[in-house]
Amino acid sequence: MALVIYNTLTRKKEEFVPLKPGRVHIYVCGPTVYGHPHIGHAKSYISFDAVVRYFRYLGYRVKYVQNITDVGHLTDDADEGEDKILKKAREEKLDPMQVAEYYTWSYFDDMQALGVIRPDISPRATGHIIEQIELIKVLLKKGYAYEVNGNVYYDVTKFKDYGKLSGRKLDELMAGARVEVNPEKRHPADFALWKRAEPGHLMRWPSPWGEGYPGWHIECSTMSMKYLGETFDIHGGGIENVFPHHECEIAQSEAATGKPFVRYWMHNNMVTVNGTKMGKSLGNFITIKEALKKYTPHTLRYFVLSSHYRSALDFSDEALTAAEKGIDKLLATVKNLLKALGNAGEVSDFTPPFSPEEFRKRFEEAMNDDFNTPRAIAVLFDLSRELNAYLNRAEALHKPFLEEVNVLYQQLGGEVLGLIPKDLKVDTGAELQGSIEKIIQITIDIRNELRKEKMFKLADRIRDRLSEIGIILIDKPEGTTYEFKETES
RNA sequence: GGCGCCGUACCCAAGUGGCUAAGGGGGAGGUCUGCAAAACCUCUAUUCGCCGGUUCGAAUCCGGCCGGCGCCUCCA
């Protein structure tokens, strides 16, 4: 089955055909860096991380660009109000670029913690002022924009396709306008490409229209086309950006180049907390840093990927606790596998108890269907049940077979979903832990002597106390083993 | 007011015209165990918000209603 993607532009699932064979050019709207990233960012970027990882798994050469917005987004009204970064800078008495830099790194740190692979290019808006001015000049020259008092606006009535992504019509936009009409605009839906800097405005650049700063949609058009070409494969972002942000991007880009801008538009759904939207300006958001105090990165990743990217995800402690149990179960199985791999050998006339390739196929079918990660995860659980059953019942284990299964976990659960760490600890003989392990072994030996003497109360106390510090004893007919409780990666 | 999405078991969540409605969590029982833990096995929705309609056949398509959410203002 071919890879299909739900395209917001056509509202249908469409087979993915790259513009250049074997390559994927993808742009995803990045964060505005004026605060610590929250779990909504986590959902968005983990989802697209899985998309990019899957393309790479399929063998595509991917060029993944994600902007860092360090200027330009305003606090309230489209054209009035104060730049969010400037606001933060004033509140914290910092240079705006200090604010942007600080939160850019906060973002990178959190993404790394969540196992999100860095985009190939993370262009900053302030680093592309010249290119943005050039694009605005083209739009003016082609008659799609007009200047008033050092402000440049895009004339939406000139672009006949305006509304094709979001399904909106200009007259409807007028009727529903909640914002006071800016008298400088010819049409209420016109949007700013360049804003004149008032005296005292800290972030300002010279331009043909005087000192000012770019509007909020122009950076994405500029930077995506600069690095990916005038037409590229995929543009992703949050569903709330369909209108106006992405609609405006299309208007700017296609007006300037006369070519289709993006072939597949992908939009991920929102995170809600207790059923209501989480937004930066609502102040009810949970930062990734807060979430990571309570849950492991793998739990958060698993939680995000266990629902589809186009579904809304409700964040609650119950759901996260269930997710934690789920991912622990998956990781426990992989650990069992790694342990078994240690004592496995060659079994003559071996008959495979199940077909690993069958599971790979099912996994790929799920991912090919618009990146259906919940279904893909379900396949991994089905595989786990088969594997555990084999590990339990087989008296002699066939090493090549276990290795094949291990590769499957590493590729599907590891490389693609980022749920299974490459260096998963198998709780045996790590050098650093050598002496600790000897001590545990001594404790176990003594406890087993107690058990032989039927002094179970004391034996259980030893097990309970060890359990309190995260060492779990497992009594089997062949003897006692132990493992460290999974707390991190 | 306009546009759009969603409602599947106790919870989370796939499935969107036809074999037994995935998977995870939780719960019940069992194998194993001195007891546990882990793992495995069995059970836990004759039914998919409600009401009509289309169809040989619908959770899936159409219409209406009820409920929840999002966008139309910066937001992932």
Side-chain angles (χ1 to χ4, degrees), chain A residues 6 16 19 21 32 50 61 122 138 145 200 207 233 243 252 298 313-314 327 334 342 379 435:
Chain A
Y6 181 85
F16 176 72
L19 195 61
T32 303
R61 232 176 102 184
S122 298
V138 171
S207 81
D233 298 300
F243 189 90
Q252 295 165 341
H298 285 98
L313 182 63
D314 193 50
I327 184 65
V334 180
V379 173
S435 51

Side-chain angles (χ1 to χ4, degrees), chain A residues 30-76:
Chain A
T32 303
V33 283
Y34 67 101
H36 291 297
H38 51 70
I39 52 177
H41 294 105
K43 171 170 163 72
S44 184
Y45 299 124
I46 287 170
S47 297
F48 282 110
D49 183 50
V51 167
V52 168
R53 283 165 173 261
Y54 187 60
F55 275 123
R56 294 204 166 111
Y57 164 84
L58 291 179
Y60 286 100
R61 232 176 102 184
V62 180
K63 194 174 182 185
Y64 177 18
V65 179
Q66 187 190 100
N67 62 297
I68 296 289
T69 297
D70 52 2
V71 65
H73 287 233
L74 306 180
T75 43
D76 42 22

Side-chain angles (χ1 to χ4, degrees), chain A residues 312-332:
Chain A
L313 182 63
D314 193 50
F315 193 94
S316 68
D317 281 322
E318 300 90 300
L320 265 294
T321 304
E324 189 166 38
K325 298 245 173 76
I327 184 65
D328 282 351
K329 183 175 177 173
L330 199 60
L331 293 178

Side-chain angles (χ1 to χ4, degrees), chain A residues 58-307:
Chain A
L58 291 179
Y60 286 100
R61 232 176 102 184
V62 180
K63 194 174 182 185
Y64 177 18
V65 179
Q66 187 190 100
N67 62 297
I68 296 289
T69 297
D70 52 2
V71 65
H73 287 233
L74 306 180
T75 43
D76 42 22
D77 170 73
D79 301 319
E80 313 307 322
E82 190 176 13
D83 188 298
K84 282 190 269 198
I85 291 168
L86 288 182
K87 184 171 179 234
K88 194 87 183 179
R90 187 167 46 76
E91 285 167 3
E92 304 198 355
K93 296 188 167 46
L94 295 168
D95 187 286
M97 285 309 269
Q98 276 180 293
V99 173
E101 198 66 14
Y102 177 76
Y103 289 112
T104 299
W105 281 99
S106 168
Y107 170 70
F108 285 154
D109 286 347
D110 287 353
M111 288 303 117
Q112 185 167 37
L114 293 174
V116 172
I117 296 171
R118 276 279 288 274
D120 300 296
I121 304 173
S122 298
R124 274 73 161 176
T126 57
H128 298 76
I129 300 294
I130 292 170
E131 291 91 334
Q132 294 180 64
I133 289 173
E134 288 305 311
L135 189 58
I136 296 168
K137 277 156 84 176
V138 171
L139 291 170
L140 278 165
K141 199 166 152 192
K142 291 196 170 184
Y144 287 100
Y146 56 95
E147 191 218 329
V148 185
N149 294 326
N151 294 311
V152 182
Y153 298 100
Y154 188 98
D155 187 344
V156 294
T157 61
K158 294 275 161 59
F159 187 70
K160 65 176 189 325
D161 280 342
Y162 192 80
K164 72 174 172 183
L165 180 70
S166 56
R168 276 161 226 268
K169 295 181 180 70
L170 279 180
D171 39 330
E172 283 167 2
L173 284 170
M174 267 221 273
R178 274 198 263 158
V179 178
E180 277 178 51
V181 177
N182 178 337
E184 287 187 349
K185 291 179 177 178
R186 292 180 189 169
H187 187 283
D190 287 353
F191 55 92
L193 297 170
W194 186 265
K195 288 296 294 175
R196 178 186 67 238
E198 301 300 333
H201 194 100
L202 289 173
M203 294 183 108
R204 57 204 297 149
W205 289 265
S207 81
W209 318 287
E211 291 220 329
Y213 52 96
W216 352 281
H217 309 303
I218 196 72
E219 61 169 284
C220 283
S221 287
T222 303
M223 298 193 289
S224 60
M225 291 197 292
K226 169 163 180 157
Y227 296 107
L228 299 174
E230 293 182 337
T231 302
F232 57 92
D233 298 300
I234 298 172
H235 189 131
I239 198 168
E240 78 288 348
N241 278 329
V242 172
F243 189 90
H245 186 54
H246 293 156
E247 196 69 72
C248 295
E249 277 187 56
I250 291 173
Q252 295 165 341
S253 306
E254 300 195 346
T257 67
K259 295 174 187 164
F261 176 46
V262 168
R263 293 155 57 83
Y264 304 88
W265 282 93
M266 291 179 68
H267 290 99
N268 68 279
N269 216 313
M270 316 291 282
V271 170
T272 55
V273 176
N274 301 320
T276 50
K277 182 197 163 160
M278 192 184 65
K280 280 188 182 177
S281 34
L282 297 176
N284 67 338
F285 60 85
I286 299 167
T287 65
I288 294 171
K289 287 180 213 319
E290 281 161 4
L292 283 174
K293 280 180 197 158
K294 278 183 97 169
Y295 305 103
T296 68
H298 285 98
T299 299
L300 288 173
R301 254 193 105 90
Y302 174 88
F303 177 62
V304 167
L305 296 176
S306 65
S307 87

